[in-house]
Amino acid sequence: MPAAKLALDFIDFCEKQTDPSMIEDRFIATLNALGYEHIACASHVDPLRPRPGTVSIVNYPMAWLQQYSAENFAFIDPVFLAARIMTAPFNWDECISKMRLDRAQKRVLAEGAAYGLTGGMTIPLRSPDVLPASCSLVAGADGVEPLDLAHTLMVVIYGHGAMHRRLNPNALVEPVVLPSRERQCLALAGRGKSDWAIGELLGINARTAHNSIERAKKRYGVSHRVQAVVRAVFDGQIMLDDLSN
């Protein structure tokens, strides 16, 4: 199934589902279908003792999780540390090679690699519960399609937000109201259109399209346009039909 349809079907499922466990199962299944074998979407805490109300979707090998928990690796995990300062998705190998790691941090990476957790990608998440959070993904043997990254981001960001809302039903989030032009540009960006293509479709220049999306990102306090698209869907500013080609 094409990545775009997988992402949209997942969002549609989340909109209709109130059971967090069902969203968790579909989240893992969707990312598996996108080529990822190991998934850890959670706040940066002990994976076996998450705090109430926090998202914790992890399918890493249980033996590794038990060791990770017993040795309090969450406090020194280099991936967690990088995710707290990075705003965009990053590959472990590229990012961590630039970090100065001590012996204990190198041990975390080496022992995780022994369980097949190597060469992954992490998506930093600005969690509504304030705790630092991220989603780490390790591809399966067949790898993943690089061009599907935007749809992977959509699944991760929307899935994390949907889980948080189901786990914290009384949390109040003030919706953002987008002006018409920003909403139009953001919807087209969600369909994978470039600034130039958005300009052509709306009869504006590419710079105007780009600036409209940048203003929408600023309203939502996010650094990536996919994050703004997902937030706009949450707020009802963009409908799922708007994202369909």
Side-chain angles (χ1 to χ4, degrees):
M1 183 183 297
K5 181 165 176 52
L6 282 169
L8 292 177
D9 284 355
F10 173 74
I11 293 174
D12 185 54
F13 177 84
C14 290
E15 286 292 296
K16 300 172 182 176
Q17 184 56 251
T18 59
D19 184 348
S21 65
M22 296 294 289
I23 295 176
E24 178 175 345
D25 291 344
R26 184 65 173 260
F27 181 82
I28 291 175
T30 300
L31 288 170
N32 285 163
L34 287 168
Y36 298 99
E37 180 179 1
H38 295 302
I39 300 152
C41 183
S43 298
H44 295 171
V45 295
D46 187 324
L48 298 185
R49 291 191 291 271
R51 299 183 190 182
T54 60
V55 177
S56 183
I57 307 174
V58 184
N59 74 343
Y60 282 4
M62 181 53 66
W64 168 241
L65 293 178
Q66 290 171 338
Q67 179 183 353
Y68 193 97
S69 175
E71 302 197 38
N72 293 316
F73 282 164
F75 293 103
I76 61 172
D77 189 337
V79 174
F80 281 0
L81 296 176
R84 293 179 187 182
I85 60 175
M86 300 289 284
T87 58
F90 61 90
N91 294 318
W92 295 354
D93 295 341
E94 180 180 352
C95 180
I96 295 175
S97 66
K98 301 175 183 177
M99 298 172 65
R100 297 182 64 179
L101 305 181
D102 60 27
R103 184 177 300 177
Q105 291 171 320
K106 291 178 181 178
R107 179 175 165 236
V108 173
L109 297 177
E111 297 193 7
Y115 288 93
L117 302 175
T118 185
M121 173 184 73
T122 292
I123 301 165
L125 297 167
R126 297 301 174 255
S127 175
D129 59 12
V130 182
L131 288 174
S134 61
C135 183
S136 290
L137 305 170
V138 178
D142 294 333
V144 296
E145 172 53 61
L147 295 178
D148 290 344
L149 177 59
H151 299 106
T152 298
L153 288 175
M154 191 174 292
V155 170
V156 168
I157 296 166
Y158 197 94
H160 180 264
M163 281 290 291
H164 186 273
R165 291 188 180 207
R166 302 308 187 275
L167 293 171
N168 300 274
N170 296 322
L172 296 177
V173 179
E174 191 68 27
V176 170
V177 178
L178 297 174
S180 176
R181 178 66 75 202
E182 292 175 24
R183 186 168 59 250
Q184 290 174 322
C185 291
L186 205 55
L188 289 169
R191 290 166 54 183
K193 303 298 184 184
S194 66
D195 293 341
W196 180 85
I198 293 171
E200 288 292 299
L201 288 168
L202 297 181
I204 57 179
N205 61 50
R207 173 55 60 181
T208 299
H210 176 81
N211 289 340
S212 295
I213 294 171
E214 289 301 305
R215 286 194 295 272
K217 286 166 55 181
K218 187 174 181 180
R219 292 182 199 278
Y220 282 120
V222 298
S223 59
H224 197 288
R225 60 178 56 192
V226 173
Q227 292 173 301
V229 170
V230 171
R231 287 289 303 277
V233 173
F234 267 132
D235 287 343
Q237 297 293 294
I238 294 177
M239 301 293 105
L240 284 183
D241 288 347
D242 296 331
L243 302 180
S244 302
N245 290 313

